[in-house]
Amino acid sequence: MRRFTVSAVALPVVAVALASCVSLSSSATLRFGGTVFGGLNAYSLDDWNDVIDLSNGSATDKDDNITSGMSFGVGPHLLVNDQWMIGAHFEKLTPKKSSDDLDVELAANALGASVG
């Protein structure tokens, strides 16, 4: 069985290749750009929240479940014309929970692409 992986460079290369197919009449509107973003996300981490609930047991000092965390991202995009944009992005997800007896960090990465 072969494993197929997509590198972070492949998506922008595909975007440029698709943009090169645009006719010369609309090439004057071809623009490159980038996006930087961040936000507070809500998470549904049922498996980890079950573990936290089990560890709480009958303890008097109970830990809260992991329900939110910050995320940060960056990505290039290509405006082909007034109606089409092709882009890719990388996002770092950082849900975590800290207390006196519990320190859980569940960082993850997300790659995405968009055409529209």
Side-chain angles (χ1 to χ4, degrees), residues 32-77:
F32 290 96
T35 306
V36 177
F37 56 91
L40 180 64
N41 293 332
Y43 299 107
S44 176
L45 300 169
D46 293 334
D47 295 342
W48 278 100
N49 288 334
D50 289 345
V51 171
I52 292 171
D53 291 339
L54 285 174
S55 70
N56 283 337
S58 61
T60 57
D61 185 24
K62 297 186 185 277
D63 294 308
D64 294 331
N65 287 335
I66 302 171
T67 57
S68 63
M70 296 297 293
S71 69
F72 308 95
V74 64
H77 63 258

Side-chain angles (χ1 to χ4, degrees), residues 2-115:
R2 283 192 169 186
R3 178 179 273 183
F4 178 73
T5 58
V6 177
S7 70
V9 177
L11 294 175
V13 169
V14 169
V16 171
L18 288 173
S20 67
C21 297
V22 177
S23 68
L24 293 176
S25 64
S26 65
S27 66
T29 62
L30 191 68
R31 295 178 295 193
F32 290 96
T35 306
V36 177
F37 56 91
L40 180 64
N41 293 332
Y43 299 107
S44 176
L45 300 169
D46 293 334
D47 295 342
W48 278 100
N49 288 334
D50 289 345
V51 171
I52 292 171
D53 291 339
L54 285 174
S55 70
N56 283 337
S58 61
T60 57
D61 185 24
K62 297 186 185 277
D63 294 308
D64 294 331
N65 287 335
I66 302 171
T67 57
S68 63
M70 296 297 293
S71 69
F72 308 95
V74 64
H77 63 258
L78 175 68
L79 270 63
V80 179
N81 56 32
D82 291 339
Q83 296 177 351
W84 288 97
M85 182 175 82
I86 302 168
H89 70 271
F90 166 80
E91 186 174 3
K92 176 78 171 171
L93 308 171
T94 59
K96 68 179 188 176
K97 179 63 68 179
S98 296
S99 65
D100 293 337
D101 58 344
L102 179 69
D103 188 20
V104 179
E105 292 188 29
L106 304 170
N109 298 321
L111 293 175
S114 61
V115 176

